Amino acid sequence: MAAAGAAPRRERMREAILRTAASAFRRSGFHGASTREIASALGMTKGNLYHYFRDKEQILFACHDRSLDLMLRSLEEVERSSLAPEEQLRQLIRRHVEVMIDGLGGSAMALEFGSLSPPLLRRVIAKRDAYEAGFRRILSRGAARGSFRRVDPKVIALAILGSINWVARWYRLEGPMRPAEVGEAFADYFVRGLLASPPAEGHGRADRRGRR
């Protein structure tokens, strides 16, 4: 029984470490934040921290890896759905914004990408490339069906992802917009701009929401 409960406790502690570390990376940068600072914020010793992660780079990698896994899972769910490409893109943008705003990995993903050693960086880049490819597929399907204008899917995918990733730099929980509102605003902006036949003025998603 004790062994059965140990795994969930360990996973909860690992997540607490990742969230605390991501916050420290955002304040001080990867090189400025110390493992001692991260451990102290959790009421742990530096030695205790090493029971969960070998070093600070492994913590940074875990932030990236877990966040990318969440986004790839969202991509898989969206692509498996029967939704039209424009709604698939809308949902994926919303979910990506949520990940970037979340305290676990968003800040690290946006601000500390280049601090990983080459072997770990290659693993992160492979997942990023797979995720970007999913955006391109949705854009291409939308154009083929006539839902989206004919655009370069790679350029537009990079433009969307770059804009969303930047959210981690400026978003503050104490600000006027909730995470869901930020996600909806981004989704509306990009999807409406790509539609082959933009909705008439006053009939967009945001306008409908405002009249409820």
Side-chain angles (χ1 to χ4, degrees):
M1 184 69 69
R9 284 197 301 273
R10 181 177 178 81
E11 187 57 29
R12 286 195 298 271
M13 180 53 71
R14 281 175 60 89
E15 180 163 334
I17 292 169
L18 293 181
R19 290 183 179 278
T20 302
S23 178
F25 295 156
R26 183 168 187 163
R27 287 194 310 271
S28 309
F30 175 71
H31 297 291
S34 68
T35 51
R36 188 180 302 279
E37 172 191 352
I38 296 166
S40 178
L42 290 161
M44 304 168 66
T45 67
K46 190 175 174 180
N48 290 147
L49 189 68
Y50 292 144
H51 287 300
Y52 299 92
F53 294 97
R54 187 172 67 245
D55 53 32
K56 189 169 61 169
E57 185 189 28
Q58 287 293 324
I59 295 175
L60 178 61
F61 171 73
C63 286
H64 281 269
D65 198 51
R66 186 171 296 198
S67 295
L68 282 163
D69 281 346
L70 288 172
M71 294 192 295
L72 286 167
R73 192 176 308 135
S74 292
L75 172 64
E76 182 182 357
E77 290 171 359
V78 164
E79 288 201 284
R80 279 206 316 261
S81 75
S82 59
L83 296 171
E86 58 269 30
E87 190 57 33
Q88 288 184 340
L89 182 61
R90 185 181 293 279
Q91 288 208 15
L92 199 55
I93 289 172
R94 286 198 206 104
R95 295 185 190 188
H96 190 148
V97 170
E98 289 174 7
V99 171
M100 295 311 298
I101 287 175
D102 181 77
L104 192 155
S107 299
M109 286 183 66
L111 307 179
E112 301 292 346
F113 181 66
S115 297
L116 293 169
S117 60
L120 293 180
L121 185 58
R122 283 193 292 272
R123 291 169 63 182
V124 168
I125 288 174
K127 288 190 176 184
R128 282 193 168 209
D129 287 348
Y131 184 65
E132 180 198 321
F135 264 81
R136 295 201 304 269
R137 286 193 298 271
I138 292 172
L139 291 166
S140 296
R141 281 198 297 271
R145 291 179 51 166
S147 303
F148 293 149
R149 294 183 289 111
R150 292 284 178 178
V151 296
D152 184 325
K154 181 175 182 179
V155 170
I156 298 304
L158 290 173
I160 294 173
L161 294 173
S163 298
I164 297 174
N165 289 343
W166 203 251
V167 170
R169 277 197 178 270
W170 58 261
Y171 181 77
R172 296 292 181 272
L173 284 171
E174 64 272 15
M177 294 184 75
R178 298 296 89 202
E181 293 174 316
V182 176
E184 187 65 35
F186 269 67
D188 260 352
Y189 178 80
F190 284 112
V191 174
R192 285 165 65 92
L194 285 164
L195 291 176
S197 300
E201 188 64 31
H203 293 283
R205 180 179 295 262
D207 299 309
R208 291 197 302 273
R209 188 174 61 244
R211 290 200 298 270
R212 286 175 187 167

